[in-house]
Amino acid sequence: MNPIQILVWEGQHDFAKRLERCLNREDSPEILRYDEEAEHPSSDAPMEAEIAFISTSALRRYDRNHLAWERIQGIPVIWVGSGDQSVYTATSVSDRVVLPAYFNCASLEAVLRHTLRSSPRFGETAQTGISVEPEKPHAELPLHKEGSFLYQAACMQQLVANSRLYGALSVSVLIRGGSGTGKEHIARMVADAHPEYRNGPFVAVNCAAIPDTLFESMFFGHIKGSFTGAVRDHTGYFRDAHKGTLYLDEIGDLPFSQQVKLLRALDDGMIHPVGSSEAIKTDFRLVTATNRPLNRMIQEGTFRLDFYHRIAVVELYVPTLQERGPEEKHLLFNAAMRQSLNLYAQEVCELPDLPLWLKEWVFSYSFPGNVRELYNKAARMAAYYLGHHRFEQAECLHLLCTEALECETQEQEELPDFSSRTEERSQVLQALEKNQWRRSETADALGWSRKTLWLKMKKYGLSD
């Protein structure tokens, strides 16, 4: 018997890989992927699939995909992502079996068999030819912990490995990533990996909070009496970080004039404290971080190219929470709730089993504020639980969605341009060609989700 064909339309719910893991490798169904209308531009032919798994978020694009809905008519549909029946009013597709975004292999098997056997296409006694593997232990996706820093995704494992690799070298490191992704955690990993500098101090500086009038004094130090208010000697950040690591956060917010002053001192390591004619030699490891697109700022003339080359011998990119994948969001949310419960209760408090609707919310929400926002939301839920000893869906969702703009479902925006467009396009194209333009294999090779790869392909004109 030929294998059954399953259509997978993920939308904003990244569930295809979990679906493939659960399906038995022997006599497994053929997966037909549909990523927006670009995959099937304007064909009027009916879908070849015999059953469809469609994210409920795809319904919000009904007007753009009406041709796809027409082609799906008559195919049994398993919706993934929400149990709210009101979400289906946008389409006439009648089969409304719902599989939560946080599904496991057991729930998949039950829903799949029920759908196929109740469909006129198969009948009650039809042999579906589908077998589902037993639920695999969580060790399949191991949890890693570095102090308070938790991670699980392949892209994060690669980031940590690179942090240790380059951290052991005496080179300047630039860390790029969105706000709240954990750039300082990575900076400390880099600092701790060096055989010499890890034994020295770690001096963290927020460049966005340095007044222009105090810049030289704060970085290079001053001597007593050098200006009004200088009642004692001050060493400055450069000397504070001697034989250790100087971490300059928000380096992209440093004014142009201050970049010039830092560049001169970084080139030879010599500084002149304010009010002193004596040059002092400094020795430290430089690590910087930013969430700003430095390459665009260089083109606009707001960031010096020579300063960029001085601070970015090695670059590390910290993925957003969305890029890490839904499993990691759920992992971090549980860890953050457990930490908050113990903190608020001031005693060991067992984490309750989260209700299904809360798990689905964590899986589907994009967390634009990344890990920082996730910890904030988890702390709210922990406080609510300690006050009520239960989770009320309406009240909890209201607390989670107090910022109206955050909780509106939006089209996923173009990813920040954190690296050279030419270099990244070349990297994506090379990976696609190496994997014969198979997107799943290419995404795995790059350490991205399939949707992230699709966004990059559209950005660089590599899609059909």
Side-chain angles (χ1 to χ4, degrees), residues 115-171:
T115 302
L116 292 177
R117 290 174 178 171
S118 61
S119 169
R121 289 193 172 201
F122 301 96
E124 289 289 338
T125 61
Q127 296 295 320
T128 64
I130 294 181
S131 58
V132 181
E133 290 186 347
E135 187 71 17
K136 296 182 179 179
H138 289 290
E140 180 184 4
L141 295 173
L143 166 66
H144 300 271
K145 184 176 182 180
E146 302 285 341
S148 60
F149 188 69
L150 299 175
Y151 61 96
Q152 185 180 49
C155 58
M156 293 301 296
Q157 295 182 39
Q158 185 63 53
L159 171 64
V160 171
N162 288 339
S163 300
R164 291 170 176 160
L165 174 65
Y166 297 119
L169 307 177
S170 299
V171 296

Side-chain angles (χ1 to χ4, degrees), residues 341-394:
L341 284 172
N342 293 331
L343 176 65
Y344 297 158
Q346 297 182 346
E347 60 184 17
V348 177
C349 182
E350 184 177 353
L351 177 67
D353 187 28
L354 301 185
L356 183 60
W357 55 264
L358 182 54
K359 294 177 183 178
E360 290 184 23
W361 184 89
V362 174
F363 264 66
S364 60
Y365 185 56
S366 62
F367 289 100
N370 292 299
V371 179
R372 185 180 293 124
E373 182 184 5
L374 181 143
Y375 272 71
N376 174 277
K377 305 291 191 187
R380 291 185 192 180
M381 290 299 94
Y384 182 91
Y385 178 79
L386 286 174
H388 298 80
H389 302 291
R390 67 183 186 280
F391 292 106
E392 290 290 343
Q393 182 172 357

Side-chain angles (χ1 to χ4, degrees), residues 242-261:
H242 188 64
K243 294 299 182 181
T245 300
L246 178 61
Y247 172 58
L248 303 182
D249 194 15
E250 307 297 348
I251 193 70
D253 293 324
L254 203 64
F256 200 85
S257 60
Q258 296 180 7
Q259 296 171 28
V260 179
K261 297 175 183 177

